[in-house]
Amino acid sequence: MLLSLLRSHLPGLKLVRLWTAAITLAATGVALAQAATAPDAMVRDLTVEVLDTIRADKSIAGGDIGRVQKLVDEKILPYVDFQKMTQLAVGRGWRSASPEQRAALTREFRTLLVRTYSGALAQVKDHQVQMRPYRAQPGDTDVLVRTAVVPSRGEPITLDYRLEKQDAGWKIYDVNVLGVWLVENYKSQFAGEISAGGIDGLIKTLTERNRQLAEAKKA
Amino acid sequence: MVRGLGASASSTARPGRWRRLAGAALLVLLAGGCATLPPNAGQDPRDPWEKVNRNVFEFNEGFDEAILKPAAELWLQLPAGLRECFSNAFFNLRGPSIAINNTLQGKPEAAVSDVGRFVVNTIWGLGGCFDPASDLGLERHEEDFGQTLGVWGFEPGPFLVIPFLGPSNVRDAVGILGVEPFLDLNFYIDEPALEYSIFALRIVNARAELLQTGRLIDAAALDRYSFIRDAFLQRRRSLIYDGNPPREIDPEDILDEPAPAAVPAARPPAATPPRPAEPGK
């Protein structure tokens, strides 16, 4: 009786088992994919990698900015949307800028930021990254990831990121250091330059500053 | 940097010196001529006094170059451990102020923690030289009366550069000049020579801690004045919300659609989003 019951249900049981396996597999796959692209995990992995590299590299501790810049180029730049960053900082002026002007603005702003950021990064010694509470819904395409960089002695430095989900994955488009957003902090400066010399004036000022910094580095 | 000009209001014993100093400062300001002004100076609604502010800013930069920065660089020659001891002890003098402000802001747990910090560091940290409280998990808070006013719903008012003290706004100036001097333990040191020495060293120490930031700003800022102003305003807003300010949406940030040709040039006056009187916790 029992045996026949079992036998008659066997095909069904098999099917159930197959389905369970398929669903488990799919779920694992989804979880893995999410872990790989979740913006907070991305920021954490990125920061840990950069901090580890700096710690391991003696020439960076020795003040070799070129090495830091290479590190930034390779590890960080692929995850940053400089065009959006520039666009937001330029604000209203962006609409009237030609494609060439936009490209020049983005290029020069990126150079300036990479250079100053590398300078700050070169000061890092024994810092650890700490993730702060992350609140985002699964469907969000614009999120805030909050972290703190903690030195072995002294106060933690809060470091937050805004990221946007794009076709190529999550991209950082704004950074906050100790409560100060980078894009916001360039808006009035850019507006001042534009009011004085137009978009070309701003491009000229940025280019000039980058040239000075490059020369100061050589000297 | 807690007092400064506040001393002129809070002390009757030495008004003459302060008045002479203020007079000298005014003279230097006038003689120093004008800071270069960008064409849009004064148009930022947060900074209607930009023209005056830029001149005071120039004066402060001169004072910094000539006196404060060299003193800070000298201070940096001290062994790091000793500087840390001073730095901790100076911060400890602000302990009661931080506890009181946290109380006034309706954060009793934080205030209790601040009192604990102060007691632990004063006694076991040898007058605040060491910081055993942080090892016990009593973390540092950064509060002052300007923030308390902000939590109570007061608007920052126009941006303001205070001679010698630097960037501020009307609300924070009330706090730093009018109230903070009385909450700071420095004020209650009875020996004037000691009181002023400690006060001066605190300023030099604070400046020394900013030397690296200063170099970063030298490289990153296109216009030091607006860079420092905007950073100050953002930082203060963030502090009032204890690091979690709500996002401010700038209507200019709505980027993707091209501007329709018929859009009037004038932006609506309500461009600044309404600010809640009560910040999130």
Side-chain angles (χ1 to χ4, degrees):
Chain A
M1 175 67 190
L2 196 75
L3 208 70
S4 69
L5 193 78
L6 205 69
R7 202 171 291 148
S8 67
H9 280 80
L10 214 56
L13 268 173
K14 236 183 208 162
L15 201 68
V16 167
R17 217 176 292 152
L18 209 69
W19 267 110
T20 320
I23 290 169
T24 315
L25 211 70
T28 322
V30 167
L32 279 176
Q34 262 174 357
T37 54
D40 54 336
M42 187 193 108
V43 166
R44 186 194 57 222
D45 295 348
L46 199 63
T47 321
V48 167
E49 198 183 347
V50 168
L51 291 178
D52 283 350
T53 314
I54 292 176
R55 251 193 307 276
D57 195 326
K58 290 281 176 290
S59 59
I60 289 177
D64 188 345
I65 292 280
R67 297 276 301 184
V68 192
Q69 229 154 300
K70 191 163 161 281
L71 179 72
V72 172
D73 277 343
E74 283 171 4
K75 306 277 190 209
I76 301 176
L77 291 205
Y79 301 100
V80 182
D81 183 349
F82 276 107
Q83 162 133 359
K84 176 158 182 168
M85 222 176 211
T86 314
Q87 190 177 357
L88 288 169
V90 172
R92 197 166 17 176
W94 187 262
R95 290 184 194 141
S96 55
S98 71
E100 294 77 27
Q101 286 175 320
R102 290 178 179 188
L105 283 171
T106 308
R107 185 186 63 233
E108 295 302 331
F109 193 35
R110 173 172 55 206
T111 307
L112 178 67
L113 292 182
V114 168
R115 190 157 284 145
T116 49
Y117 182 71
S118 304
L121 214 52
Q123 310 291 334
V124 167
K125 286 184 182 69
D126 48 3
H127 296 63
Q128 301 284 343
V129 63
Q130 188 182 54
M131 302 306 286
R132 302 200 288 143
Y134 175 65
R135 293 178 209 90
Q137 304 302 314
D140 286 351
T141 55
D142 190 309
V143 298
L144 172 67
V145 173
R146 309 188 316 134
T147 77
V149 180
V150 190
S152 60
R153 300 168 76 86
E155 290 303 293
I157 301 156
T158 59
L159 202 55
D160 301 346
Y161 306 83
R162 276 198 195 289
L163 295 97
E164 185 186 52
K165 193 174 194 171
Q166 299 178 352
D167 295 339
W170 289 94
K171 292 281 173 100
I172 297 167
Y173 71 90
D174 204 353
V175 184
N176 183 310
V177 187
L178 289 169
V180 179
W181 285 106
L182 184 133
V183 164
E184 177 69 27
N185 228 58
Y186 273 97
K187 271 186 187 167
S188 345
Q189 293 185 83
F190 280 10
E193 292 291 336
I194 293 172
S195 87
I199 295 281
D200 284 331
L202 174 59
I203 295 171
K204 202 170 143 238
T205 307
L206 283 169
T207 315
E208 180 63 20
R209 168 56 56 89
N210 286 330
R211 200 183 53 75
Q212 284 169 359
L213 290 175
E215 273 175 10
K217 204 180 78 187
K218 267 182 239 147
Chain B
M1 302 221 219
V2 192
R3 315 180 41 185
L5 293 191
S8 64
S10 59
S11 149
T12 46
R14 358 170 226 270
R17 199 193 311 169
W18 281 103
R19 200 168 299 147
R20 272 203 300 281
L21 204 61
L26 196 68
L27 216 72
V28 175
L29 276 178
L30 294 174
C34 293
T36 35
L37 297 170
N40 66 347
Q43 283 171 20
D44 191 320
R46 301 166 306 169
D47 188 9
W49 305 331
E50 182 170 352
K51 289 174 188 177
V52 178
N53 280 338
R54 275 189 188 265
N55 281 305
V56 181
F57 182 80
E58 283 290 305
F59 166 77
N60 284 353
E61 295 264 285
F63 175 73
D64 183 59
E65 271 311 312
I67 295 167
L68 205 49
K69 204 168 150 201
E73 275 159 353
L74 209 62
W75 180 254
L76 220 53
Q77 303 302 313
L78 290 178
L82 188 60
R83 262 190 293 125
E84 198 180 312
C85 169
F86 274 113
S87 196
N88 286 340
F90 293 158
F91 189 80
N92 198 50
L93 293 174
R94 295 209 19 78
S97 161
I98 294 170
I100 290 168
N101 279 301
N102 263 330
T103 309
L104 294 175
Q105 292 171 26
K107 293 182 285 190
E109 303 92 348
V112 167
S113 153
D114 294 331
V115 171
R117 248 194 88 83
F118 179 70
V119 171
V120 167
N121 280 356
T122 304
I123 298 173
W124 287 282
L126 307 179
C129 168
F130 302 103
D131 184 9
S134 285
D135 299 332
L136 294 177
L138 301 170
E139 55 186 57
R140 278 184 179 207
H141 296 133
E142 206 179 322
E143 304 292 349
D144 54 68
F145 196 70
Q147 290 182 51
T148 300
L149 289 174
V151 170
W152 288 351
F154 285 94
E155 292 291 317
F159 180 69
L160 187 66
V161 183
I162 306 175
F164 299 107
L165 281 186
S168 189
N169 53 48
V170 171
R171 178 181 66 200
D172 290 340
V174 168
I176 206 167
L177 299 178
V179 177
E180 277 302 324
F182 301 100
L183 301 182
D184 196 288
L185 289 186
N186 210 142
F187 182 73
Y188 299 98
I189 300 174
D190 265 344
E191 181 62 47
L194 188 66
E195 183 191 352
Y196 280 116
S197 306
I198 290 180
F199 178 60
L201 286 184
R202 284 173 75 172
I203 291 179
V204 171
N205 178 62
R207 181 64 184 90
E209 283 170 355
L210 288 174
L211 282 172
Q212 241 174 41
T213 315
R215 278 192 285 275
L216 183 74
I217 295 174
D218 285 340
L222 302 179
D223 171 14
R224 286 177 66 84
Y225 173 83
S226 45
F227 190 99
I228 290 172
R229 175 191 65 196
D230 294 0
F232 170 83
L233 293 176
Q234 281 201 65
R235 167 96 180 132
R236 290 300 295 180
R237 180 165 185 271
S238 167
L239 282 175
I240 287 167
Y241 289 96
D242 288 333
N244 303 308
R247 189 174 190 177
E248 271 188 310
I249 300 293
D250 187 335
E252 293 291 331
D253 286 353
I254 299 153
L255 297 161
D256 293 328
E257 65 261 62
V263 136
R267 286 162 61 181
T272 33
R275 270 261 291 285
E278 198 212 329
K281 289 283 138 71

